[in-house]
Amino acid sequence: MRSVPFYRHSLTHKDAEAMSEVLHGIFLTTGPRTRQIEQELAGYLGASFATGVTSCTTALYLTLLARGIGPGDEVITTPMTFIATANAVLHTGATPIFVDVEPTTGNIDPGQVEKAITDRTKAVIPVHLYGTMVDMRRLHDVCRRSGLYVIEDCAHALEAVRDDVRPGKLGDAACFSFYATKNVTCGEGGAIVTNDGELHDRLSWLRMHGMSKSAAERYTARYQHWDMIGLGYKANMNDLQAALLLSQLPRVEQQLERRETIGQRYEAAFRNIDSVGFPTIPAGARSARHLFTIWVPPERRDEILARLQERQVGVAVNYRAIHLLTYYRERFGFREGDFPNAERIGSSTIILPMYPGLYDEDVNAVIEAVRSVCEEVAWTTLKADDKAGTDRPCTSPL
Ligand SMILES: Cc1ncc(COP(=O)(O)O)c(C=O)c1O
């Protein structure tokens, strides 16, 4: 049986050398490589500025702080995301307000955002789930009318485009992750991309305790005193991380082509399996193809997941709806039924291997495993239903 790991990074010897060069220089922390990746990242996205930070979590948190969001404020976001999105809001003292998602994409529904706006709402955090962008033109209209900031969670969406809009074009800021499994990675890392020079200036001291000068500025010429000009946090990217990212950025488009080929092969195969659905990529959108998601009948999800693992296929669940996790339930009193689309997706989701290093044989093995497991499970469901005297077909949940 062919074993297909959930993820394998695509880093090369050249990437390792790029990092090792940094070790021969002075700046292990924020220095010339960080400045260079900031410029190249902004250039890749067609934006004016980027700020390198330690993670997408700190990117979101610092951007909220930079916009003055804190206790008493509300920030509208989606429950179909990684906890980092809403946790960043909680860390500022503001309250995350969840709204439901579109059933076909899993992305936040701009119509629901509009309904949730109150006098306390200050910002919206859309998450471009799996790599497919939220309808930013519609969301931007809604937010502009109410004077809300839009802070995009682009952890999945570096290469994404929708209706000619790239991440960061319509939002105030776009927050990226370079976590270990992301399309471009340095193990842990993040960045904030914006066209707003004032926001960029604030972020450059917010990521460094509020210090008015970086280490590079303090030590490369004559010593200069620094001041603390506000209360920031410690979240600056270092040059080792930056060197790894710089080395990968030139091949990001080529790797996306491979992701797209794999995504299309999965979709063609799963279209013919009744019990399997998958998210739609809307017309006019180019997905970053970060995660490949299938949706299976919720009552069978865990069994299908376990059987795929038995067949040596690496799987994950990104995500179960976060308002139903213990902390959020207990703190805010959320219950099942609050956000039905997010909940249905959360209990139907299985994430399959999706990375450029997958061989065609790996993709075939994953497809074959999904097909056989779904047949086995449909068969056992039918047998159980026969015994119970019911007639319950195994169909797609959505
Ligand atoms: C949608 C989403 N937002 C935020 C994050 C947080 O990213 P980081 O681990 O870089 O803080 C992740 C990480 O997986 C994510 O998937």
Side-chain angles (χ1 to χ4, degrees):
M1 196 178 292
R2 191 178 179 92
S3 164
V4 186
F6 178 66
Y7 178 75
R8 258 194 319 248
H9 69 69
S10 305
L11 297 174
T12 62
H13 287 297
K14 242 180 108 205
D15 298 331
E17 275 167 24
M19 200 168 176
S20 129
E21 264 178 38
V22 174
L23 295 173
H24 295 106
I26 299 173
F27 279 100
L28 301 187
T29 182
T30 312
R33 298 293 200 291
T34 305
R35 272 197 301 283
Q36 193 182 341
I37 189 64
E38 289 171 342
Q39 281 163 9
E40 293 199 9
L41 193 60
Y44 172 71
L45 289 159
S48 308
F49 309 102
T51 310
V53 290
T54 45
S55 66
C56 186
T57 309
T58 52
L60 291 164
Y61 173 63
L62 294 182
T63 308
L64 289 162
L65 284 190
R67 284 307 193 203
I69 289 162
D73 297 333
E74 293 178 352
V75 177
I76 299 174
T77 193
T78 164
M80 181 38 58
T81 182
F82 182 53
I83 48 176
T85 317
N87 288 358
V89 176
L90 288 177
H91 281 297
T92 67
T95 306
I97 303 294
F98 294 122
V99 298
D100 210 354
V101 298
E102 300 167 340
T104 51
T105 62
N107 272 334
I108 199 166
D109 180 341
Q112 297 292 329
V113 170
E114 190 159 21
K115 287 190 206 149
I117 295 170
T118 70
D119 291 346
R120 287 198 289 273
T121 312
K122 289 289 180 323
V124 178
I125 307 184
V127 177
H128 305 309
L129 191 68
Y130 312 135
T132 300
M133 283 180 74
V134 168
D135 184 346
M136 285 300 293
R137 289 194 184 273
R138 222 179 124 207
L139 184 69
H140 181 247
D141 270 357
V142 168
C143 293
R144 198 187 39 198
R145 271 186 262 126
S146 300
L148 305 180
Y149 297 122
V150 180
I151 300 169
E152 298 172 65
D153 180 334
C154 305
H156 299 181
L158 178 63
E159 309 92 328
V161 189
R162 182 164 177 182
D163 304 326
D164 295 324
V165 175
R166 306 282 309 261
K169 179 168 176 184
L170 295 180
D172 291 82
C175 298
F176 293 90
S177 172
F178 305 119
Y179 172 69
T181 57
K182 296 298 186 257
N183 291 14
V184 170
T185 181
C186 56
E188 300 282 356
I192 307 145
V193 168
T194 182
N195 290 313
D196 181 331
E198 193 263 323
L199 178 64
H200 173 64
D201 288 347
R202 282 185 82 73
L203 288 166
S204 53
W205 57 258
L206 274 167
R207 73 168 170 185
M208 187 51 125
H209 291 296
M211 290 169 77
S212 57
K213 291 194 193 321
S214 69
E217 287 161 341
R218 293 196 311 273
Y219 296 113
T220 43
R222 276 173 48 162
Y223 183 85
Q224 297 176 43
H225 289 300
W226 51 269
D227 191 11
M228 177 175 153
I229 54 178
L231 181 61
Y233 198 69
K234 182 68 164 62
N236 52 309
M237 176 179 279
N238 68 50
D239 268 19
L240 289 160
Q241 294 166 309
L244 257 191
L245 297 174
L246 276 168
S247 176
Q248 288 166 75
L249 203 57
R251 60 177 190 270
V252 71
E253 289 291 316
Q254 183 199 329
Q255 292 193 339
L256 179 63
E257 272 176 36
R258 178 67 187 148
R259 288 177 178 274
E260 182 59 35
T261 303
I262 296 166
Q264 288 190 15
R265 283 214 48 219
Y266 278 153
E267 285 171 357
F270 299 146
R271 221 166 257 130
N272 299 319
I273 307 179
D274 282 348
S275 52
V276 175
F278 50 84
T280 304
I281 299 175
R286 174 176 95 158
S287 173
R289 293 287 194 183
H290 173 53
L291 296 174
F292 193 89
T293 306
I294 55 170
W295 290 330
V296 298
E299 66 282 8
R300 292 290 179 212
R301 192 266 306 276
D302 289 354
E303 187 183 349
I304 294 173
L305 193 78
R307 286 184 187 230
L308 286 171
Q309 275 191 314
E310 278 163 22
R311 285 173 182 257
Q312 313 287 318
V313 172
V315 282
V317 175
N318 298 6
Y319 303 94
R320 292 185 298 149
I322 63 173
H323 66 286
L324 295 181
L325 300 177
T326 304
Y327 180 82
Y328 279 94
R329 273 185 197 257
E330 289 181 353
R331 178 157 171 190
F332 297 102
F334 290 123
R335 276 178 296 168
E336 269 159 51
D338 286 344
F339 307 108
N341 291 339
E343 288 166 30
R344 208 161 44 239
I345 290 172
S347 39
S348 311
T349 289
I350 297 178
I351 308 289
L352 299 176
M354 164 56 92
Y355 44 90
L358 281 177
Y359 295 106
D360 287 345
E361 293 75 16
D362 295 325
V363 178
N364 294 341
V366 174
I367 291 171
E368 199 35 51
V370 170
R371 198 192 321 272
S372 342
V373 163
C374 286
E375 269 169 22
E376 283 162 26
V377 169
W379 179 241
T380 52
T381 307
L382 275 178
K383 279 209 305 203
D385 287 346
D386 276 354
K387 277 193 205 133
T390 58
D391 179 18
R392 198 160 51 100
C394 184
T395 53
S396 175
L398 296 167

